[in-house]
């Protein structure tokens, strides 16, 4: 109760103390871990996020995809790619299935690092694990292919979107228009614009 009250009040210090008490008595649920991770993300508390990651890796606290996604997100957005990858490894180590949010966070991390081969591998892993991509997934991958001038891959990826029942959005269309325009294909750019 004290933990949840501190989280609602966004009192990180009090929530940290209460979380440690909960850990001592082994009365922790995935909801508690998620709530703690969510508070740390909203407060951009990297130090305590690292401590939570360490607890997930070593202690017997409940681990789930949502908590790991939150940690991947905070580390990825704050220039801590190694810690984001460690949070991803927690999923693998404890046989927790990643979801589209996990993969989008990892794709975004790879894009920010300009690690285009990792984007290809991550996108292929999604397919292998049968995790359906969403429009954000496609936008990240299309953006990467556009930045690396992989025209053919970009077109193949764009035309595969209906197979996943994913509708392009303004970002998707803008990427494709810019891609066609860079190749001086005004007709194709106009077709994308009209669609």
């Amino acid at each position: 109760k004290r933990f949840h009250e501190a989280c609602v009040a966004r009192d990180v210090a009090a929530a940290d103390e209460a979380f440690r008490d909960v850990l001592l008595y082994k009365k922790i649920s995935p909801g508690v871990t998620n709530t703690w991770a969510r508070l740390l993300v909203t407060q951009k508390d990297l130090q305590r996020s690292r401590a939570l990651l360490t607890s997930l890796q070593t202690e017997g606290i409940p681990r789930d995809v949502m908590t790991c996604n939150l940690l991947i997100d905070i580390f990825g957005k704050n220039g801590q790619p190694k810690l984001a990858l460690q949070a991803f490894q927690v999923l693998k180590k404890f046989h927790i299935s990643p979801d589209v949010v996990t993969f989008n966070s990892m794709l975004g991390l790879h894009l920010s690092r300009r690690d285009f081969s990792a984007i290809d591998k991550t996108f292929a892993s999604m397919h292998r694990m049968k995790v359906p991509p969403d429009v954000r997934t496609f936008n990240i991958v299309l953006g990467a292919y556009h930045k690396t001038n992989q025209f053919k891959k970009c077109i193949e990826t764009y035309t595969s979107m209906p197979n996943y029942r994913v509708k392009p959005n303004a970002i998707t269309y803008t990427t494709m228009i810019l891609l066609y325009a860079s190749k001086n294909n005004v007709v194709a750019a106009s077709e994308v614009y009209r669609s």
Side-chain angles (χ1 to χ4, degrees):
K1 182 179 176 182
R2 191 168 53 100
F3 171 75
H4 285 290
E5 288 171 356
C7 287
V8 169
R10 295 186 181 222
D11 183 344
V12 177
D16 188 19
E17 185 180 317
F19 185 75
R20 289 174 198 218
D21 288 346
V22 171
L23 279 176
L24 286 174
Y25 296 105
K26 308 281 187 209
K27 294 181 179 180
I28 193 163
S29 70
V32 169
T33 310
N34 290 333
T35 302
W36 182 226
R38 206 170 303 116
L39 178 63
L40 296 175
V41 169
T42 58
Q43 300 299 312
K44 297 180 180 164
D45 191 327
L46 290 174
Q47 182 180 354
R48 287 185 174 100
S49 294
R50 274 189 220 99
L52 176 58
L53 176 60
T54 300
S55 294
L56 289 173
Q57 292 169 321
T58 60
E59 297 178 27
I61 65 172
R63 301 157 186 93
D64 66 352
V65 70
M66 184 184 293
T67 301
C68 290
N69 287 347
L70 289 163
L71 291 174
I72 291 167
D73 192 54
I74 190 172
F75 295 136
K77 288 180 178 174
N78 288 284
Q80 301 289 324
K82 288 181 181 176
L83 292 172
L85 292 170
Q86 286 178 27
F88 184 73
Q89 291 303 319
V90 167
L91 294 172
K92 287 183 176 182
K93 180 179 177 181
F94 295 99
H95 308 288
I96 301 167
S97 298
D99 60 13
V100 69
V101 175
T102 312
F103 282 107
N104 286 346
S105 292
M106 292 305 296
L107 288 166
L109 172 69
H110 299 319
L111 184 61
S112 71
R113 297 174 68 211
R114 303 184 65 76
D115 188 348
F116 299 112
S117 65
I119 290 172
D120 274 340
K121 290 175 187 171
T122 302
F123 195 48
S125 292
M126 280 185 84
H127 292 294
R128 209 173 33 259
M129 296 177 78
K130 296 181 177 22
V131 175
D134 63 10
V135 71
R136 183 166 181 246
T137 310
F138 280 103
N139 288 338
I140 294 168
V141 173
L142 288 170
Y145 291 155
H146 177 243
K147 286 178 181 177
T148 56
N149 294 316
Q150 296 184 57
F151 185 75
K152 187 177 177 185
K153 274 186 157 180
C154 208
I155 302 298
E156 289 170 359
T157 303
Y158 175 69
T159 57
S160 75
M161 290 178 76
N163 299 340
Y164 296 95
R165 295 189 174 124
V166 175
K167 293 182 180 181
N169 65 12
I171 295 168
T172 316
Y173 290 129
T174 301
T175 301
M176 294 309 296
I177 290 168
L178 291 172
L179 177 76
Y180 285 122
S182 73
K183 299 295 181 185
N184 294 320
N185 192 338
V186 178
V187 174
S190 297
E191 286 177 21
V192 172
Y193 178 75
R194 282 193 293 275
S195 67

